[in-house]
Amino acid sequence: MEIKREKWSKNFSEWLDWVLFGGEFYDYGRYPLKGVGIWLPYGFKLRKAVVDLIRKLLDETGHEEVLFPMLIPDSLLKKESEHIKGFEEEVYWITKGGSEELDVKLALRPTSETAITYMESLWIKSYKQLPKKYYQIVSVFRYETKATRPLIRLREVTTFKEAHTLHVDFDDAMRQVKEAIEIYKKFFDELGIPYVISQRPEWDKFPGAVVTYAFDTLMPDGRTLQIGTAHHLGQHFTKAFDYKIQKEDGTLDYPHQTSYGISERVIASLISIHGDDRGAVLVPSVAPIQVVVIPIPAKNQEDTNKVIDYAEKLRKKLEEGGVRVTVDKDMDKTPGEKFYIWEIKGVPIRAEVGLRELQNSSVTLKRRDTLEGKVVKLENVLEEVKKLMDEITQNLKKRAWENLNSRIRYAKSVEEANSLLEEGVIVEVPWCGEESCGLKIEEMTNAKVKGIPLDDRKVSDPCVVCKKPAKTVLRIAKTY
Amino acid sequence: MEIKREKWSKNFSEWLDWVLFGGEFYDYGRYPLKGVGIWLPYGFKLRKAVVDLIRKLLDETGHEEVLFPMLIPDSLLKKESEHIKGFEEEVYWITKGGSEELDVKLALRPTSETAITYMESLWIKSYKQLPKKYYQIVSVFRYETKATRPLIRLREVTTFKEAHTLHVDFDDAMRQVKEAIEIYKKFFDELGIPYVISQRPEWDKFPGAVVTYAFDTLMPDGRTLQIGTAHHLGQHFTKAFDYKIQKEDGTLDYPHQTSYGISERVIASLISIHGDDRGAVLVPSVAPIQVVVIPIPAKNQEDTNKVIDYAEKLRKKLEEGGVRVTVDKDMDKTPGEKFYIWEIKGVPIRAEVGLRELQNSSVTLKRRDTLEGKVVKLENVLEEVKKLMDEITQNLKKRAWENLNSRIRYAKSVEEANSLLEEGVIVEVPWCGEESCGLKIEEMTNAKVKGIPLDDRKVSDPCVVCKKPAKTVLRIAKTY
């Protein structure tokens, strides 16, 4: 068998729709409202595994989970001027309760900086309580006017993990931004999702941030997807709320803040990046089902029953070893039909058992990532499955990183950049550091500036626009 | 020491405000919007334990977790006429996105029957797919015009667990309602929350239901609180959506539905029912912290350091045994100040260790429920703590049930009922079964009819209103 990735890369948008619904992850486009979808049971389990992973990483680094109100009164949301300017065209407003007009219109939160700063100002008065790290996992809403896409550009983002931290000074907040970046690296590494980290340019920071760092990955169609951001907010919000704390030397000052977030885009990239023409390929650590057992019917019912008993024996053995396993006993479907479905769903390992396996006390294991098969003894099946899961994890991660690394290219001129961009890659060009040149690059390439690499790079070539000496490289890409 | 429950019962409303904020469960009344609150880190952990418990009970009975959109378009919500009549005065409406007026106004879901029925009609076409049981745990919104109360009457209910099921016929749906009741019994029993189950009268059913069963508990102030409901929806919604499925005999018919829900009122009752004048008393199985270790400072720093090391040793021992434990090492607070805080928070067991305990290799354990102390050997501390947690669980449950059972009383007349109601009890009166007499009872007692007992009871006394022979008893109570 051969892994094909033609449909996957050439018709990515259709591919994703097909996998999300066909694999029973997410129903999109059928609910009578644009830009929202439904997490189906199988997809919900994947989402839960991903959420549990980020929760674990945040809990073990001293973040405390909280839950803030969904509704933010008009006056509160408008407190910080850059922030509201950035969001005002995207906010849903509630103006009525029952048949009454509300006195104050209420926003569905687009993000929670204002609500959290307000409450922090009541709770935290002294440097002794700092640093303080909160997070919540909630729905946020954006009235998107651009074309919406399942899990990628939604009007209801149902899986927004937003962390908000408070610090005594600028440096401690910067230290926190770096901690956030390390946490996200671990998170994406565990999922085998490759990324580049860029400092966003001044004109594309989070509204209200001093500096924004972003994780971008590259989707099969060659467009980048922003999958995580971390912002140093400085004193923007605390000044807007006139919120001071007592410092160690007894003086009062505005504390510094950070915020950092991820969303279901992580799940979009998880499903997309590892996939192929047969569907998703899930990383074993978060796969709702790690092994699906398919009993192959025999010629007579008696033997078929024996095969089913054998499949159950296999299930028990794996389950006792901590493997998430299911037996597909649906008698209305042929094995081929079952293979088709479970491949879309991306179950990492398929275990086929028929009369031959029963007679030999063996199991035929098929890897979803390479489509390779292997016959193993029943007595060794647990260790073989665990070994295979490790290999699949390593292979997916390696393949994804190699793909990304081969698609980051350097260009010395705008023309060269433009021709590379057509190949669906991230292009790095030398840049003088001036905003005007950066904006010019966006204009001349019809791509988006993603920013400068976190590991700031020196180049000897001149800026692609003004030809003055370049200070660094600027990343550009076609983007979601 | 003595357990006092004076403030707890006499000033319950103030007591609850004090415990929720003082115990760092929930911040209510400080956010600049009425009827919403913030789950603080400690409260969030309690909420998570309660949510995990109901999730476990639903998962193991074949319910599948999903996540539906928060927003329901006007036309979809209005599809079933009784349903919208029941909710229309309570719905928040979004009318604007950014600065644009929306073409279709969007409701913040008050509950999800309409959204779910619509999608079921696309997904489920045959009896072979039935029964189907979905659930989700989400925020729902009600524009409450009555006085709001923390966790009890909110405008944003953040912990709404709603289950929705689909069935081939009436009887199978009724079987499901009974399963739901059994699941909720297990759930409340695990939490030690006592309840009565009543079939709600016709005039107080869920809007769109054929029959509604409800779990009520009795709060410290003598008012009942509805903590769970289960509805047989019949074909009300499927008919409104003209949604038919194929039955086994090949004919088409409208499927039957049920829905059942709980909310953070469970947490309100969990905190309230077991409490006393010192604060909450948490049931060990869901307590975020089961044992708090308080090191008692010695006269000199050297000895104090030894005590702290000893406290850490104790922590490790308990932690390795699977106990959720913390050491309060805050040196700015006296032991007495710490006792006060941890008592409000309701930590089931306090472990005090000072120089004496260190010298004797012992630990002084104090039960939060009875305030009794006990000195145990360090080597036995794990089994002693586990035994104590069992005893606390049993004691809380027993005390709560005895209290409820002693406060369900029978009255033969409206006068008698009225005088009993003043004592803060649930009163059962003989009733002929006519709606007019039921409504008259509400009028004459200034209490609410809660319905008839699930275990329908025969009585020989006549109806308290019309004096005709009674068919059953009717429960009435002052209520939230």
Side-chain angles (χ1 to χ4, degrees):
Chain A
M1 278 192 274
E2 199 193 339
I3 318 156
K4 285 201 187 133
R5 301 181 99 185
E6 293 264 319
K7 280 189 276 178
W8 172 78
S9 59
K10 300 246 167 78
N11 297 297
F12 171 65
S13 183
E14 293 81 350
W15 181 93
L16 185 59
D17 287 348
W18 166 68
V19 170
L20 289 180
F21 189 62
E24 300 181 89
F25 292 97
Y26 191 74
D27 188 313
Y28 188 78
R30 269 159 285 260
Y31 188 78
L33 182 61
K34 192 186 149 181
V36 303
I38 294 140
W39 285 100
L40 300 172
Y42 184 70
F44 191 89
K45 286 199 183 87
L46 175 63
R47 173 183 183 269
K48 188 167 184 300
V50 171
V51 164
D52 285 349
L53 175 61
I54 190 68
R55 188 173 264 146
K56 178 177 154 281
L57 293 171
L58 292 170
D59 289 348
E60 68 193 23
T61 47
H63 294 73
E64 298 183 291
E65 192 166 0
V66 293
L67 186 56
F68 269 72
M70 173 84 60
L71 306 180
I72 304 181
D74 193 18
S75 55
L76 189 57
L77 188 66
K78 291 190 168 153
K79 211 75 177 171
E80 208 286 333
S81 59
E82 281 180 36
H83 187 65
I84 187 62
K85 228 183 285 162
F87 282 109
E88 68 189 343
E89 283 310 310
E90 293 190 0
V91 172
Y92 278 109
W93 292 106
I94 299 170
T95 61
K96 289 182 77 173
S99 47
E100 287 174 28
E101 291 290 324
L102 300 181
D103 296 340
V104 177
K105 64 178 181 173
L106 305 173
L108 292 193
R109 70 175 149 226
T111 177
S112 304
E113 278 74 9
T114 53
I116 288 179
T117 305
Y118 179 80
M119 294 310 296
E120 284 174 337
S121 77
L122 304 176
W123 297 334
I124 299 164
K125 311 277 190 187
S126 159
Y127 74 95
K128 287 187 190 172
Q129 295 166 274
L130 299 182
K132 196 79 199 172
K133 312 183 217 176
Y134 295 117
Y135 76 100
Q136 61 178 2
I137 302 171
V138 295
S139 275
V140 293
F141 295 82
R142 310 266 166 102
Y143 180 62
E144 290 285 354
T145 45
K146 293 187 206 168
T148 55
R149 283 179 192 280
L151 303 187
I152 290 177
R153 188 172 307 280
L154 292 168
R155 288 182 165 186
E156 178 180 6
V157 175
T158 64
T159 319
F160 191 57
K161 188 287 299 164
E162 48 176 333
H164 297 269
T165 71
L166 194 69
H167 304 270
V168 73
D169 57 25
F170 184 92
D171 289 350
D172 197 60
M174 190 50 97
R175 183 202 49 72
Q176 187 60 40
V177 168
K178 284 175 187 155
E179 179 183 289
I181 289 172
E182 291 308 310
I183 291 169
Y184 285 176
K185 277 185 184 174
K186 270 195 201 169
F187 175 63
F188 293 122
D189 286 346
E190 173 85 26
L191 301 174
I193 298 173
Y195 47 80
V196 294
I197 309 172
S198 309
Q199 182 184 332
R200 288 277 185 260
E202 282 301 306
W203 61 93
D204 195 26
K205 292 183 311 187
F206 175 77
V210 176
V211 57
T212 288
Y213 297 95
F215 285 71
D216 294 295
T217 192
L218 196 59
M219 295 300 265
D221 62 354
R223 287 202 274 173
T224 60
L225 182 70
Q226 172 177 299
I227 50 175
T229 51
H231 317 291
H232 193 311
L233 303 175
Q235 297 170 312
H236 284 189
F237 290 88
T238 56
K239 280 188 175 163
F241 282 85
D242 193 22
Y243 164 35
K244 292 180 184 173
I245 54 147
Q246 191 170 28
K247 299 186 79 167
E248 196 162 5
D249 63 7
T251 60
L252 292 175
D253 197 7
Y254 304 106
H256 290 251
Q257 292 175 306
T258 84
S259 67
Y260 32 105
I262 56 160
S263 74
E264 50 246 65
R265 283 183 163 193
V266 173
I267 300 167
S269 56
L270 181 68
I271 289 173
S272 302
I273 281 172
H274 302 310
D276 63 24
D277 286 2
R278 292 168 184 246
V281 182
L282 297 183
V283 173
S285 67
V286 291
I289 296 170
Q290 294 168 317
V291 177
V292 57
V293 181
I294 314 277
I296 312 293
K299 285 192 183 127
N300 62 67
Q301 190 56 45
E302 200 188 330
D303 283 346
T304 298
N305 289 344
K306 282 185 198 156
V307 167
I308 290 174
D309 288 348
Y310 186 65
E312 277 299 321
K313 197 170 157 189
L314 171 60
R315 182 187 60 76
K316 256 185 221 151
K317 211 174 163 73
L318 291 174
E319 212 162 67
E320 281 164 15
V323 176
R324 294 188 290 274
V325 54
T326 195
V327 183
D328 185 346
K329 282 186 284 194
D330 185 345
M331 284 301 146
D332 291 346
K333 290 205 187 82
T334 65
E337 288 168 334
K338 291 180 186 178
F339 296 169
Y340 178 82
I341 295 288
W342 293 106
E343 282 175 354
I344 303 178
K345 285 174 176 281
V347 173
I349 298 171
R350 180 170 85 214
E352 299 169 19
V353 291
L355 206 51
R356 195 175 355 154
E357 280 83 3
L358 168 63
Q359 282 156 356
N360 299 337
S361 283
S362 70
V363 180
T364 300
L365 299 177
K366 290 266 165 74
R367 289 171 66 148
R368 177 64 186 86
D369 60 337
T370 59
L371 305 173
E372 288 162 2
K374 184 178 185 180
V375 179
V376 305
K377 283 285 165 197
L378 180 66
E379 61 189 70
N380 304 329
V381 73
L382 181 60
E383 56 186 291
E384 290 284 354
V385 159
K386 289 193 171 172
K387 212 176 74 186
L388 222 43
M389 291 201 294
D390 281 346
E391 285 174 25
I392 293 170
T393 303
Q394 292 317 315
N395 179 48
L396 291 176
K397 189 169 170 173
K398 186 165 164 278
R399 183 172 77 176
W401 271 103
E402 282 175 359
N403 180 54
L404 175 65
N405 287 333
S406 73
R407 290 163 77 188
I408 302 173
R409 311 278 284 279
Y410 180 73
K412 285 187 199 177
S413 69
V414 169
E415 297 66 40
E416 204 185 331
N418 267 326
S419 99
L420 284 170
L421 284 166
E422 287 312 303
E423 294 176 30
V425 303
I426 297 170
V427 181
E428 295 180 347
V429 296
W431 178 48
C432 64
E434 289 298 321
E435 182 160 332
S436 57
C437 286
L439 291 170
K440 195 88 189 165
I441 292 171
E442 284 198 337
E443 223 180 281
M444 293 165 73
T445 56
N446 203 14
K448 278 279 281 180
V449 165
K450 305 317 294 173
I452 60 173
L454 183 63
D455 50 333
D456 197 4
R457 247 168 276 160
K458 299 287 164 229
V459 277
S460 50
D461 299 309
C463 174
V464 290
V465 180
C466 66
K467 309 296 175 195
K468 285 185 197 147
K471 278 206 181 120
T472 180
V473 298
L474 197 61
R475 285 187 178 134
I476 55 174
K478 299 207 170 174
T479 194
Y480 273 97
Chain B
M1 280 194 271
E2 199 192 339
I3 319 157
K4 284 202 188 135
R5 300 181 99 187
E6 293 265 319
K7 279 190 276 177
W8 172 78
S9 59
K10 300 246 167 78
N11 297 297
F12 171 65
S13 183
E14 292 82 349
W15 180 92
L16 185 59
D17 288 348
W18 167 68
V19 170
L20 288 180
F21 189 62
E24 299 182 89
F25 291 97
Y26 190 75
D27 188 313
Y28 188 78
R30 267 159 287 258
Y31 188 77
L33 181 60
K34 192 185 150 180
V36 303
I38 294 141
W39 284 101
L40 300 170
Y42 183 71
F44 191 89
K45 286 201 184 84
L46 175 63
R47 175 184 181 269
K48 189 167 186 298
V50 170
V51 164
D52 285 349
L53 175 62
I54 190 69
R55 189 172 263 148
K56 179 176 154 281
L57 293 171
L58 292 170
D59 288 348
E60 68 192 22
T61 47
H63 293 73
E64 298 183 291
E65 192 165 1
V66 292
L67 186 56
F68 271 73
M70 174 83 63
L71 306 180
I72 303 181
D74 192 17
S75 55
L76 189 57
L77 189 65
K78 289 190 169 153
K79 213 68 178 174
E80 209 286 333
S81 59
E82 279 180 37
H83 187 64
I84 187 61
K85 227 183 286 163
F87 282 108
E88 67 190 340
E89 284 308 310
E90 293 189 0
V91 172
Y92 278 109
W93 292 105
I94 298 170
T95 61
K96 290 182 79 175
S99 49
E100 288 175 27
E101 291 290 324
L102 300 180
D103 296 339
V104 177
K105 63 179 180 173
L106 304 173
L108 292 193
R109 71 177 149 226
T111 176
S112 304
E113 278 74 10
T114 53
I116 288 179
T117 304
Y118 179 80
M119 293 310 295
E120 284 174 335
S121 77
L122 303 177
W123 296 335
I124 300 165
K125 309 281 190 184
S126 158
Y127 74 95
K128 287 186 189 171
Q129 295 166 272
L130 299 184
K132 197 81 199 171
K133 311 185 220 177
Y134 294 116
Y135 76 101
Q136 63 179 2
I137 302 171
V138 295
S139 274
V140 293
F141 295 82
R142 311 268 166 100
Y143 180 62
E144 289 284 354
T145 45
K146 293 188 206 169
T148 54
R149 281 174 194 283
L151 304 188
I152 289 177
R153 180 165 301 196
L154 292 167
R155 289 180 166 186
E156 178 180 7
V157 176
T158 64
T159 319
F160 192 56
K161 188 285 300 163
E162 48 176 333
H164 296 269
T165 72
L166 193 69
H167 305 270
V168 72
D169 58 25
F170 185 93
D171 289 350
D172 197 59
M174 191 50 96
R175 183 200 51 68
Q176 188 59 41
V177 168
K178 284 176 187 151
E179 180 182 289
I181 289 172
E182 290 309 311
I183 291 169
Y184 285 177
K185 277 185 185 174
K186 269 194 201 169
F187 175 63
F188 292 122
D189 287 346
E190 174 84 26
L191 301 174
I193 298 173
Y195 47 81
V196 294
I197 308 172
S198 309
Q199 182 184 332
R200 287 279 186 260
E202 281 302 306
W203 62 92
D204 194 25
K205 292 182 312 187
F206 176 76
V210 176
V211 56
T212 288
Y213 297 95
F215 285 71
D216 294 295
T217 193
L218 196 59
M219 295 299 265
D221 62 354
R223 289 203 273 174
T224 60
L225 182 70
Q226 172 176 301
I227 51 174
T229 51
H231 317 291
H232 193 310
L233 303 174
Q235 298 169 311
H236 283 188
F237 290 89
T238 57
K239 280 187 176 166
F241 282 84
D242 193 23
Y243 165 34
K244 291 179 184 174
I245 55 146
Q246 190 171 31
K247 299 187 78 167
E248 196 161 4
D249 63 8
T251 61
L252 293 175
D253 198 8
Y254 303 106
H256 289 251
Q257 293 174 305
T258 83
S259 69
Y260 32 103
I262 56 161
S263 73
E264 51 246 62
R265 283 184 164 193
V266 172
I267 300 167
S269 56
L270 181 68
I271 290 174
S272 301
I273 282 172
H274 303 310
D276 64 24
D277 285 1
R278 292 169 182 244
V281 183
L282 296 184
V283 174
S285 65
V286 291
I289 297 169
Q290 294 168 318
V291 177
V292 58
V293 180
I294 313 276
I296 311 293
K299 285 188 185 129
N300 62 67
Q301 191 57 46
E302 199 190 331
D303 283 345
T304 298
N305 290 344
K306 282 187 198 156
V307 166
I308 289 174
D309 289 347
Y310 186 64
E312 277 299 323
K313 195 170 159 191
L314 171 59
R315 183 186 60 76
K316 258 185 218 150
K317 212 176 162 75
L318 291 174
E319 213 162 64
E320 282 165 14
V323 176
R324 294 188 289 273
V325 55
T326 196
V327 183
D328 186 346
K329 284 186 281 196
D330 184 345
M331 284 302 146
D332 290 347
K333 290 206 186 82
T334 65
E337 287 167 334
K338 293 180 186 178
F339 297 169
Y340 177 83
I341 295 286
W342 292 107
E343 282 175 353
I344 303 178
K345 285 175 174 283
V347 172
I349 297 171
R350 179 168 86 216
E352 299 170 20
V353 290
L355 207 51
R356 195 178 351 155
E357 281 83 2
L358 169 63
Q359 283 155 355
N360 300 335
S361 284
S362 70
V363 180
T364 301
L365 299 177
K366 289 266 165 74
R367 290 172 66 148
R368 176 64 186 87
D369 60 336
T370 60
L371 305 173
E372 288 162 2
K374 184 178 183 180
V375 179
V376 304
K377 283 285 164 198
L378 180 66
E379 61 188 72
N380 304 329
V381 72
L382 181 61
E383 56 185 291
E384 291 284 352
V385 159
K386 289 196 169 171
K387 212 176 75 184
L388 221 44
M389 291 204 291
D390 281 345
E391 284 174 25
I392 292 169
T393 304
Q394 292 316 313
N395 179 47
L396 290 177
K397 189 169 169 173
K398 185 165 166 276
R399 182 171 79 175
W401 271 103
E402 281 174 359
N403 179 53
L404 176 64
N405 287 332
S406 74
R407 289 162 78 188
I408 302 172
R409 311 279 283 279
Y410 180 75
K412 284 187 198 176
S413 68
V414 170
E415 296 69 40
E416 204 184 330
N418 266 325
S419 99
L420 285 170
L421 285 166
E422 288 311 304
E423 295 175 29
V425 302
I426 297 170
V427 181
E428 296 180 346
V429 296
W431 178 47
C432 63
E434 288 298 322
E435 183 161 332
S436 58
C437 285
L439 291 170
K440 196 87 191 168
I441 292 170
E442 283 198 338
E443 221 181 281
M444 293 165 72
T445 56
N446 204 13
K448 278 279 283 181
V449 165
K450 305 318 292 175
I452 61 173
L454 183 65
D455 51 332
D456 196 4
R457 244 167 280 158
K458 298 289 163 227
V459 275
S460 49
D461 299 309
C463 173
V464 290
V465 180
C466 68
K467 308 298 175 193
K468 284 183 198 152
K471 277 203 183 125
T472 181
V473 298
L474 196 63
R475 285 187 179 134
I476 55 177
K478 298 203 170 177
T479 193
Y480 273 96

